């Protein structure tokens, strides 16, 4: 037998599809992004489908890709719990 099905490892759970995990969890999340020029914090979705612009200085914070957004250079983020 390859492994214990009732106690999978963290790596195997993370690499498996979101619906085939032991406890189903989404891959997306909300995050706080800090603008590099005006230090204003904006809350954005990790899989946003449009360009997100800073409300204070109109600088582009992130651009959409096929899945997760690509953050601009100099911006920092943290995942909201």
């Amino acid at each position: 037998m390859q492994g214990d099905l009732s106690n999978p490892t963290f790596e195997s759970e993370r690499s498996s599809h979101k619906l085939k995990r032991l406890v189903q969890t989404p891959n997306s999340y909300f995050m706080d992004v800090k603008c590099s020029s005006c230090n204003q914090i904006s809350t954005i979705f990790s899989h946003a489908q449009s360009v997100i612009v800073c409300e204070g200085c109109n600088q582009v914070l992130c651009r959409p890709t096929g899945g997760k957004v690509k953050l601009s250079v100099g911006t920092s983020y943290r995942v909201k719990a």
Side-chain angles (χ1 to χ4, degrees), residues 28 35 45 56 59 62 66 76:
S28 57
C35 180
F45 189 57
Q59 181 180 356
C62 62
S76 59

Side-chain angles (χ1 to χ4, degrees), residues 5-8 13 16-24:
L5 296 176
S6 62
N7 297 316
E13 280 289 295
S16 63
H17 189 268
K18 65 181 180 179
L19 295 177
K20 296 191 179 193
R21 295 179 186 148
L22 192 59
V23 176
Q24 296 176 1

